[in-house]
């Protein structure tokens, strides 16, 4: 985990906004060809080395036609999350996906959570032998939605250099990756408090979010596992301290599971900022 955290400054270089057509990427970084159709396509983008020579930063990018959307790791009321498979790669021990902050949207079957236009998923690629090139191979299964949702898939391959490689900022349309934080933290965007209202086993969770002036915050809640299906937090107005309140019922819990004591992941967004906190249901 320490080596991954050390890589985050290099990954931050990848989050400059500005779409670049074709395989060429600003700053000299490399990219694979797009794989897809007019509705959606996928490619891999080379990035920057981290302070640990075993790691390289890269990106998996999805390009979406106007009106089309794809899903976050927790898709909301409908849809399926993208599935990243790097098992066909060579000289790659692991490729860890970082998830940019999503937005909510109506997809005809309820409220979904995901992305539109373009999204770049930063990757921390750990090579087995840093002195040798690595070939990153991605098989991505995902869903795209306009009026209807359809399955999509993409395949991409990119050779990463031996050694530390060249430092180059990857320019692509990307949402911010949430910054780890804690409940009660200070800062312009922060989850100030989490409280439980009502009786178990289905109490209501009320979350107070502080956001920068002039922005409209949003909040997403995930359970400790993929078998949880929590409802989307809904705005509840302002708290007495000027924070924005969100509430959701502890519902969608796997059968036979006691939610008390479980740890939820809360992602707060506002403008170009996003934070992620862990909150225990006590």
């Amino acid at each position: 985990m320490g080596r991954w955290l050390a890589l985050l400054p290099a990954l931050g270089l990848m989050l400059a906004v500005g779409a670049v057509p074709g395989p060429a990427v600003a700053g000299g970084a490399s990219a694979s060809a797009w794989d897809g159709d007019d509705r959606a396509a996928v490619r891999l983008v080379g990035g920057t080395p981290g302070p640990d020579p075993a790691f390289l930063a890269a990106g998996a990018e999805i390009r979406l036609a106007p009106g089309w959307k794809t899903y976050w790791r927790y898709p909301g009321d409908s849809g399926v999350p993208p599935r990243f498979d790097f098992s066909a790669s060579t000289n790659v021990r692991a490729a860890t996906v970082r998830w940019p902050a999503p937005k909510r949207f109506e997809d005809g079957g309820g409220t979904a959570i995901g992305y539109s236009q373009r999204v770049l998923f930063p990757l921390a690629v750990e090579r087995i032998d840093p002195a040798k090139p690595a070939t990153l191979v991605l098989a991505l299964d995902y869903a795209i939605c306009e009026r209807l949702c359809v399955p999509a898939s993409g395949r991409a391959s990119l050779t990463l250099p031996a050694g530390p490689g060249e430092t180059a900022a990857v320019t692509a349309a990307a949402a911010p990756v949430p910054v780890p934080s804690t409940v009660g933290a200070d800062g312009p965007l922060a989850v100030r408090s989490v409280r439980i209202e009502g009786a178990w086993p289905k109490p209501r969770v009320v979350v107070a979010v502080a956001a920068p002036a002039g922005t409209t915050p949003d909040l997403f809640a995930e359970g400790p596992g993929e078998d949880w299906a929590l409802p989307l937090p809904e705005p509840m107005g302002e708290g007495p301290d000027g924070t924005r309140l969100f509430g959701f019922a502890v519902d969608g819990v796997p059968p036979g599971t006691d939610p008390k004591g479980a740890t939820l992941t809360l992602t707060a967004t506002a403008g170009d900022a996003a934070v992620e906190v862990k909150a225990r249901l006590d």
Side-chain angles (χ1 to χ4, degrees):
M1 179 61 71
R3 290 189 296 172
W4 166 244
L5 292 175
L7 183 62
L8 289 179
L11 285 177
L13 292 173
M14 301 175 62
L15 299 180
V17 175
V20 179
V25 182
S30 58
S32 71
W34 290 104
D35 183 38
D37 56 29
D38 290 341
R39 300 170 303 178
V42 175
R43 72 173 178 176
L44 287 170
V45 180
T48 62
D52 187 325
F55 283 90
L56 286 176
E61 186 177 10
I62 299 176
R63 179 189 68 197
L64 297 157
W68 288 87
K69 299 174 180 65
T70 192
Y71 292 101
W72 190 42
R73 65 190 179 208
Y74 178 52
D77 294 335
S78 61
V80 294
R83 299 296 184 187
F84 296 85
D85 182 356
F86 297 99
S87 60
S89 302
T90 58
N91 195 29
V92 172
R93 177 171 285 114
T96 303
V97 179
R98 292 275 285 168
W99 294 82
K103 295 182 179 180
R104 65 174 77 195
F105 56 88
E106 300 300 323
D107 67 353
T111 303
I113 310 171
Y115 311 99
S116 60
Q117 297 180 338
R118 285 193 182 193
V119 56
L120 178 70
F121 298 89
L123 308 172
V125 182
E126 183 181 6
R127 292 171 292 182
I128 298 170
D129 185 349
K132 296 180 180 179
T135 300
L136 185 63
V137 178
L138 168 64
L140 178 64
D141 292 318
Y142 60 116
I144 55 175
C145 293
E146 191 188 33
R147 293 182 181 85
L148 297 175
C149 295
V150 296
S153 62
R155 303 294 182 268
S157 176
L158 185 66
T159 298
L160 304 174
E166 295 181 2
T167 299
V170 176
T171 305
V177 172
V179 176
S181 185
T182 57
V183 176
D186 292 325
L189 176 61
V191 175
R192 291 292 168 78
S193 67
V194 178
R195 70 175 187 268
I196 305 296
E197 295 181 345
W200 296 93
K202 290 188 178 182
R204 186 171 184 82
V205 180
V206 178
V207 182
V209 177
T215 65
T216 301
D218 206 349
L219 184 73
F220 306 96
E222 300 170 84
E226 293 185 357
D227 51 351
W228 285 58
L230 294 173
L232 273 77
E234 295 298 335
M236 297 175 56
E238 288 193 0
D241 56 355
T243 56
R244 309 290 180 87
L245 301 180
F246 293 84
F248 60 96
V250 181
D251 203 357
V253 177
T257 299
D258 183 357
K260 191 171 185 179
T263 298
L264 306 186
T265 300
L266 303 176
T267 300
T269 67
D272 293 331
V275 297
E276 181 182 289
V277 306
K278 302 293 185 182
R280 183 179 166 90
L281 294 178
D282 288 325

